Amino acid sequence: MRTNLLGLDPGALAGFFAELGEKPFRAKQVLRWVHRCGEADFARMSDLAKGLRETLARSAEVAPPRLVRESQAADGTQKWLLDVGAGNAVETVFIPEANRGTLCVSTQAGCTMACQFCSTGRQGFNRNLTTAEIIGQLWWVSRALRAREAPAQSAAQAPGVTRSEDRVISNVVLMGMGEPLLNFDNVVPALRLMLDDHAYNLSRRRVTLSTVGIVPMIDRLRDECPVALAVSLHAPNDELRSRLVPVNQKYPLAELLAACRRYLERSPRDFITFEYVMLDGVNDSAAHARELVGIAAEVPSKFNLIPFNPFPNSGFRRSPPEVIRRFAERLLAAGIICTTRKTRGEDIDAACGQLAGQVQDRTRRAGRAARAACC
Ligand code: SAH
């Protein structure tokens, strides 16, 4: 069995080279080749001794998930579908903007959380992605963006011409399919690669992990690898939240908010982002906004309102634009920083909560839901 180097974080890669009897700087060289240059062929790693290249070819590989399909939306959003074996595929989405390029990464094939308004939740769950499959999403997309950039750059060689920021991954959000904190052991090494100077070199503030609110794991993330944190709030009280986000029954709001406060002691940002999906007639009233003001008083936070993205048989509707605007105004009037997420990539089903990939459900939850819908 050859070791897949995509699955090794910087520490593990150093260990791998130590076992081969090689100096630690070899690990750094290889990190750069693999992650910065997107190189998978050891023979082309020209600053490694020939003997080492041969050893690596025998004992290691750079094996990303197989690329199935790439699609592009009218607004420039791009989506890649990656085959992770046994009938499962996951999606990763790149969102170019004027001053940044954000990659939205998946962490599980499916999801066990069953949030009512999420299409991934409806699909059931197959398994956790490996570190190689998580970082493999950055690996593929960086490579694709670089390849596209290269001809443009050679055509624009005039001095002073710089490449536009929107062509590169400047931010990563773990907001694709799955609950990242329930795949902690594979997610943290992937985060370490995102942050490493020799790999993707992103600052902790530009890597955001979004969680449904797994309280003990929020504490572990704080202790082991703090990055910017987003929490899927979606409701201002336990009664409603337990209906929309069932894991709230296990970790109710008071415990979640306390974990958020603890997180801020070590967070690279001095606020938590609360995500709040706007569901028509469900969580979008003036009374809900007032309750949220109470929550914001407990945790330094910013709110990100997400207009609900519909999918077949969801049973929910998006709040009308004027309702979203008024809701945002109420929060702003109370001194809460609040933005409304622009919906991107809708025409290729790449918007929040629309990622479905392909999941061979092993929990049979999807089957139960389908039967319930029939009855
Ligand atoms: N499991 C993580 C990350 C996944 S989803 C989490 O719960 O945070 C990223 C965000 O999109 C979450 O806030 C999620 O609740 C939201 N989302 C899910 N379905 C949606 C939909 N149909 N429309 C809008 N946002 C949705």
Side-chain angles (χ1 to χ4, degrees):
M1 273 291 273
R2 289 188 293 175
T3 304
N4 185 1
L5 299 191
L6 276 186
L8 303 186
D9 73 6
L13 196 65
F16 177 82
F17 279 95
E19 268 181 35
L20 291 180
E22 294 285 340
K23 296 253 161 44
F25 76 93
R26 294 291 177 206
K28 293 182 177 149
Q29 282 178 304
V30 169
L31 272 179
R32 295 172 91 98
W33 276 113
V34 172
H35 297 286
R36 286 259 185 99
C37 309
E39 187 54 73
D41 181 355
F42 297 117
R44 291 160 64 125
M45 299 186 181
S46 50
D47 56 1
L48 303 183
K50 194 150 174 284
L52 175 58
R53 282 185 254 167
E54 287 163 3
T55 308
L56 287 174
R58 275 195 308 274
S59 59
E61 60 183 350
V62 178
R66 193 174 66 82
L67 182 60
V68 182
R69 193 169 54 238
E70 191 183 327
S71 29
Q72 176 148 5
D75 66 10
T77 301
Q78 292 157 63
K79 183 167 88 166
W80 284 260
L81 184 70
L82 301 172
D83 179 354
V84 292
N88 295 292
V90 297
E91 296 180 306
T92 186
V93 177
F94 180 67
I95 306 150
E97 288 174 281
N99 54 354
R100 63 180 172 194
T102 303
L103 188 71
C104 178
V105 166
S106 294
T107 55
Q108 296 182 313
C111 188
T112 55
M113 293 292 91
C115 298
Q116 289 301 292
F117 48 82
C118 178
S119 88
T120 305
R122 295 278 176 96
Q123 285 207 307
F125 175 74
N126 187 274
R127 67 171 173 85
N128 283 330
L129 297 187
T130 63
T131 298
E133 289 163 343
I134 299 167
I135 209 68
Q137 298 169 55
L138 268 92
W139 191 86
W140 268 121
V141 176
S142 318
R143 224 171 170 236
L145 296 176
R146 243 190 330 264
R148 230 168 278 163
E149 186 68 15
Q153 271 202 318
S154 48
Q157 278 306 319
V161 175
T162 52
R163 65 201 236 161
S164 54
E165 274 298 306
D166 66 349
R167 296 278 109 214
V168 294
I169 301 172
S170 62
N171 295 60
V172 172
V173 293
L174 273 57
M175 292 186 188
M177 299 168 68
E179 169 48 47
L181 291 186
L182 292 179
N183 185 13
F184 193 85
D185 292 345
N186 295 335
V187 163
V188 166
L191 290 177
R192 295 208 166 105
L193 284 166
M194 293 174 202
L195 301 173
D196 192 273
D197 297 356
H198 300 284
Y200 296 93
N201 195 25
L202 294 166
S203 88
R204 288 182 188 275
R205 300 156 57 87
R206 287 179 174 267
V207 176
T208 302
L209 183 146
S210 176
T211 179
V212 70
I214 312 294
V215 166
M217 304 313 282
I218 293 176
D219 288 329
R220 269 193 76 187
L221 187 69
R222 178 196 69 161
D223 295 340
E224 295 181 32
C225 192
V227 291
L229 188 70
V231 170
S232 290
L233 197 64
H234 304 318
N237 59 60
D238 281 320
E239 194 261 318
L240 181 58
R241 191 164 192 270
S242 291
R243 265 201 288 140
L244 297 175
V245 179
V247 78
N248 190 70
Q249 293 160 31
K250 190 159 177 196
Y251 304 115
L253 277 172
E255 285 179 34
L256 177 57
L257 300 181
C260 289
R261 283 193 296 273
R262 291 193 296 275
Y263 194 83
L264 286 173
E265 294 162 10
R266 305 246 179 99
S267 167
R269 291 204 178 262
D270 55 8
F271 60 89
I272 302 287
T273 302
F274 285 131
E275 296 160 284
Y276 196 92
V277 62
M278 295 299 293
L279 302 167
D280 185 21
V282 175
N283 64 353
D284 61 353
S285 72
H288 292 127
R290 269 195 303 277
E291 280 185 284
L292 281 185
V293 174
I295 287 186
E298 287 190 46
V299 179
S301 51
K302 290 187 181 174
F303 275 78
N304 193 211
L305 306 182
I306 316 175
F308 170 66
N309 292 308
F311 54 90
N313 305 318
S314 73
F316 293 101
R317 287 183 314 270
R318 178 183 293 179
S319 307
E322 64 278 11
V323 172
I324 299 180
R325 194 174 43 75
R326 250 184 289 133
F327 198 87
E329 278 169 9
R330 287 198 168 94
L331 297 184
L332 288 166
I336 297 170
I337 298 171
C338 168
T339 52
T340 301
R341 197 175 289 177
K342 256 193 292 170
T343 295
R344 302 283 307 252
E346 267 181 307
D347 51 335
I348 54 167
D349 281 348
C352 307
Q354 286 183 324
L355 299 187
Q358 203 177 311
V359 180
Q360 300 304 313
D361 182 29
R362 299 202 305 176
T363 61
R364 298 179 40 205
R365 177 159 30 77
R368 283 202 301 276
R371 274 196 298 281
C374 291
C375 298

